Amino acid sequence: QCSLTGQWINDLGSTMKILNVNGNGDFSGTYLTAVTATSNEIKESPLQGSLQRKNQKGQPTFGFTVNWTFSDSITVFTGQCFVDKNGKEVLKTMWLLRSRVDTIENDWKATRVGINVFTRVPLQ
């Protein structure tokens, strides 16, 4: 059984905390990125998401949005929570980051795409 609730760290060192998932699959939390394309001071940012509750097989799909508090950008993540053969929980995700641009002619450079793998951080 894979649970999103808790603390996670990804392959780049970014951390997130996911609070309780409610009965509808909705959840919230915080995200602290370790990487950014801006020179602004990095700050913890809120996330809002949804877990697919129809999957009763224990490795659910999910999505969440991070509304960056320190830039004019927003990122959406989608992924699946897996339990590997050693019983370790892993979140495999793909993301789209949308940055604000000044003109429609610059739209071509406004969206970035990537992948991240998150592993659970034990609570201290």
Side-chain angles (χ1 to χ4, degrees):
Q1 190 76 352
C2 199
S3 170
L4 290 184
T5 304
Q7 291 185 254
W8 300 87
I9 189 166
N10 72 19
D11 43 311
L12 298 175
S14 299
T15 58
M16 72 174 167
K17 295 175 193 167
I18 296 179
L19 305 177
N20 290 337
V21 178
N22 73 19
N24 293 327
D26 301 325
F27 60 89
S28 62
T30 58
Y31 197 104
L32 184 61
T33 186
V35 295
T36 183
T38 178
S39 60
N40 297 345
E41 177 189 353
I42 295 173
K43 296 180 181 172
E44 193 171 66
S45 298
L47 69 82
Q48 293 284 331
S50 187
L51 172 75
Q52 176 49 262
R53 301 299 269 180
K54 289 187 174 33
N55 174 353
Q56 299 299 317
K57 296 181 173 67
Q59 299 193 115
T61 56
F62 61 89
F64 62 89
T65 301
V66 179
N67 189 350
W68 302 111
T69 57
F70 58 90
S71 71
D72 290 341
S73 302
I74 198 159
T75 301
V76 293
F77 287 79
T78 187
Q80 187 170 354
C81 188
F82 290 101
V83 178
D84 70 14
K85 62 185 176 194
N86 299 316
K88 185 170 140 188
E89 293 167 300
V90 176
L91 306 181
K92 298 277 286 181
T93 67
M94 175 171 264
W95 52 263
L96 292 171
L97 180 145
R98 177 65 187 212
S99 299
R100 190 187 75 72
V101 291
D102 292 326
T103 65
I104 197 167
E105 290 78 18
N106 287 328
D107 181 65
W108 66 272
K109 65 180 180 179
T111 304
R112 299 175 187 204
V113 62
I115 58 170
N116 284 126
V117 178
F118 292 84
T119 54
R120 186 175 293 285
V121 176
L123 295 173
Q124 302 294 332

